[in-house]
Every structure is written in C-alpha cells, then in structure tokens.
Amino acid sequence: MAVIYDAFLALMAPEVLIVVVLSSVFGLFVGAIPGLTATMAVALLVPVTFFMDPLPAIAAIVSASAMAIFAGDIPSVLLRIPGTPASAAYTEAAYRMTLRGQAELVLGVCVVTSAVGGLVGALFLMFFAPAVARFALNISSYEYFWLVCLGLTSAAFISPGSAVKGIISLLLGLLIALIGLFPVTGQPRFTFGSTALYGGVGLVATLIGMFAIAEILRFAMSRDPLPSMAKMKIGNIFKGLMPELWRYRKGFANGIVVGTATGPLPGAGADIAAWISYALSRRFSHNRKEFDEGSLEGIVAAGAANNASVSSSYVPATVLGIPGDSMTAIVIGVLFMKGLTPGPTIFQTQPTLIYGIFLSFILANLLMIPLGYGAIKLSRYILDVPRAYLMPIIMIFCVVGAFAMDNTLTAVVTMLIFGVVGWFMEENGFPIAPALLGIVLGRMLEETFLTSMIKAQGDFLQFFSRPIAGTIGVITILVWVSPILVMLWKRTSGRKVLA
C-alpha cells in the first residue's frame, strides 16, 4: 500500500495533473475529428513526451488514448461517421437513434459506459499485472521466444481483413527490424552505408509516419465531403440514463468482461473488442427486431468493451514487454526512450512509476465524465473545424516532432518514407498493426532466439524442454499449421460427400 500511496502522490503533483488534463483535451479533440484515430493522437504526443519525466509522459499517452476512444463516439452519433475504428461497430445504431431524437441519451450512455468500462479495466490491470509479473520472473528466454512468436502470430491472424495480408504486413515489420547492427557480431545489416541506420530505424519517426502522415495523405487524396450534422440542441445527456443502464445491465457487464479479456490479446485492440461485444449482444438479444432498428442494447455493451480493452491491453506490455496493440507498442517505445525496459523486473526497480501509470488510468476515466460532457456540448464547434486548415497544422507538428528527436533530417525523411508506406498499405487493405508489432518485437525475437540457441548449444529441441515453453511452443506451431489442417479437413469432407 505504501507504494500505491507514493504513486498517488506522484500522480497528484501539479505538473503531472496539468499534463493529464491537457492530454485529455487533446485526445478528445483528435478522437472527435472523423478520420483521426486514437493511435494518431498518441503518435503525435510522443515527440512532446520526449521532454517529460517517465510518469507524466506515460500518463499523457494513457489519458489521450482513453479520451480519444470515447470521443470517437461523438461523430458516430451526430454524423454517422465513427471518429475512431473502435466506434464503428455501433455507429449505425447510434445514428438511427439520433434521427429518432434520442441523441442526448445515446451520448450520455457512451460517456458513462466508456468511463465505467475503463475503470474496471484499470482495476483489473492494477491487481492482475503484479501477480503475473511475479510469475514472469521465473520464465527464461525459451518462454519469451515462444510468447513473442505467439503474439506476432496472433497479431497477423486477428487483424481486420485478410490473414495473408496480415502475415505480409508482419513480415515487412520484421524485415524493418533487421536494419541496424547484428547483436552478436556488430556487423551492419541493410544500412546501405548510412551510419544513421546503425541503431535501426527510428521508432518514433516510423510511428508518426505510418499513422499521422498516412492519414494526411489519405485526406489529400479524398474528395468526399463530410455529411451534414444532425440538427438538434444537445441538452442534459444524463436525463433518463440510469433506468436505461439498469435495463441493459447484463449487456453492460458482458461488454466489460469481453473488453477486459480481449485487451491483452496481441493485435486485438479496442475496435475488435467492440465488434465482438456488439456481435454477442445481438446474438443473445431477446428483441432482435428492435436491436436491428437501433437500440441501446448493443451500444451499451460495445461502448463499455472498447475502453475496458484499452486498460487491460497494458498487462502484457508492462509485465512482459510484449505490446497488445499499436498504442501499447508506442508506450513500450517511450519507455525505452526513457531508458526503462518493460518487463517483470520493472515492478521491482520502478514500482512507483508502474503504479502511477495504473492510477493514471483511473484518473483519466474519472475525468472522462466532466471533460466528455464538455466535449459533447462543444461538439458542434469541434466537428466544424475545417480539415483543410487542420491537416497542414498537423503536418507541421509531425515534421517538428520528428526533427526534435535527434535534431537531424534523418528522422524527418524516415517519417515521410513510412508515411507513404503506411498510406499504400491501408489503401490496399494491409493492416498496419502487425507491421508495427513486427518492428517493436523483431529485435526481442532475434535476441531471445540467439540467447536460447547459445544456451541450448544449437539443439532446437531444448526450446521445448521446459513445461511452459513447450506448451506455448506447441500452441504456436498448431496456430501456424491450422490453416493447412483446416484445408485438408475440408478436402477430406468434400470427397466423402461426393462418394
């Protein structure tokens, strides 16, 4: 308890609170603008966190991401455009209720379910992560190798769209991670004679490029105008809210459970948690007709799920150093930038910092109610900001932020190159998250493999010599061969039918 008290005092420092509030407002603004994702908000914050201590830096990212996920609901309700992918699952239902004059009720449900879902996810993180960390102290390079393999595999298979494109995206990320010096001999690889690449490709510049520059390019290429906003006065969003939440309490609880369970899965993220929760809610709905015409039943469940997953996704990131999604990958990059290595030992070496990060989730979700209410009241002005002016300003921030990382043009060039790469990938249906996880985890995969091979003296069977490593290894290999097994089973079943 003394550690939690110290972390609470550190979080309550005036300079940290100011950072949290400003980051929350920034996250609300970016999340409410259609097309600007929560990941983009976090990526734009990274250069600013370069000048902060670790706790305010991570608290800023936590606050911005939680707020942006909720704020994506505002244009969903008023414009029928999800502000972030996490709101896409229930956009149609929310807008149908808006057309029936229930926008206030839907917005109230969105802000309350998001805050409660995030709080429960934060409590899960706070009490579950230390227990996992104590267990993780006993695992070796064999277990880490298989965990990284399983995480990367899951990221490729779970990502939206084609699994083949997810695998190609992952391989691209792993290839990029090979750039730099070989960890054993120090021999340069894929550096093309450039000493600037000896340390590998800059993670922050890559993040800004793939998420922010790609979005700017997409806006520059698009000619589709925004639809007009629903004309109505936004009054008291909490009126009649409690009876509706009580009516859908089971779906509310299920959404929190689904979001909390989905968050730690590599590659899943808030949008997949929302889709799963919405689909389950529809599957078990007692009034399917009312559900399909637009009701609060699915909105309550999915709204709670997406924010709950944001908190719980920090479990593998902080305990094992393995990111669950693109936002936690950025957090790991920031921790490395601060000279901190995420993993089980950080709970012993930096307990105040870790519990301060956990408490920042609780603070951000508590702030979500008043700040979210303010964002909803100002939604007309936020949604009316001309993106023709906004995008060039974001571009300037990107260039300045990338240049500030090491005061060279290398980071700016890297950012622009990966901006084009990110835009090309998304335009052709390749998910970006597997590539990003490949870049972040590629070096860990290589180091754990080399360390394990040296310990095993070249005997690969030693990778299965420990119970946990062997179990995770078998599961990983089964996932790899599962498409072949499914294909063979279908062919066998087809031949039996023809016979």
Side-chain angles (χ1 to χ4, degrees), residues 5-6 30 32 40 68 82 90 118 120 136 154 170 180 186 216 227 272 290 327 348 359 365 437 474:
Y5 180 69
D6 291 341
V30 174
M40 179 182 176
Y90 46 94
V120 175
S154 302
L170 173 64
I216 294 171
I272 289 182
E290 181 184 327
M327 284 192 286
Q348 297 175 330
L359 289 174
N365 284 288
L437 294 181
V474 170

Side-chain angles (χ1 to χ4, degrees), residues 44-122:
L44 287 172
L45 267 182
V46 172
V48 182
T49 62
F50 183 71
F51 304 100
M52 299 178 188
D53 290 332
L55 179 56
I58 304 298
I61 292 175
V62 166
S63 306
S65 58
M67 296 291 176
I69 292 292
F70 151 68
D73 295 345
I74 298 175
S76 291
V77 176
L78 299 178
L79 288 175
R80 200 184 169 214
I81 300 177
T84 65
S87 305
Y90 46 94
T91 294
E92 185 64 34
Y95 191 70
R96 287 188 178 189
M97 293 190 68
T98 297
L99 295 180
R100 298 201 296 265
Q102 297 176 292
E104 292 174 354
L105 180 61
V106 179
L107 287 168
V109 163
C110 289
V111 69
V112 171
T113 55
S114 296
V116 175
L119 280 172
V120 175

Side-chain angles (χ1 to χ4, degrees), residues 53 94 147-148 202 208-209 211 224-225 232-233 237 241 250 254 325 348-349 364 433 440 456 479-480:
D53 290 332
L147 280 171
V148 172
I208 297 174
F211 290 103
D224 298 331
M232 62 184 58
K233 183 181 178 183
I237 62 172
L241 184 63
K250 287 186 179 177
N254 290 337
D325 58 10
Q348 297 175 330
T349 58
V440 174
V479 174
W480 288 346

Side-chain angles (χ1 to χ4, degrees), residues 1 42 45 49 174 400:
M1 290 301 292
V42 173
L45 267 182
T49 62
L174 291 174
V400 173

Side-chain angles (χ1 to χ4, degrees), residues 109 112-113 241-249 252 300:
V109 163
V112 171
T113 55
L241 184 63
M242 292 310 296
E244 294 295 336
L245 291 179
W246 180 252
R247 179 184 176 191
Y248 298 115
R249 58 189 181 280
F252 195 2
V300 167

Side-chain angles (χ1 to χ4, degrees), residues 45 84 152 240 318 379 425 441 493:
L45 267 182
T84 65
L152 292 173
T318 54
S379 56
M425 289 175 66
L441 291 178
S493 302

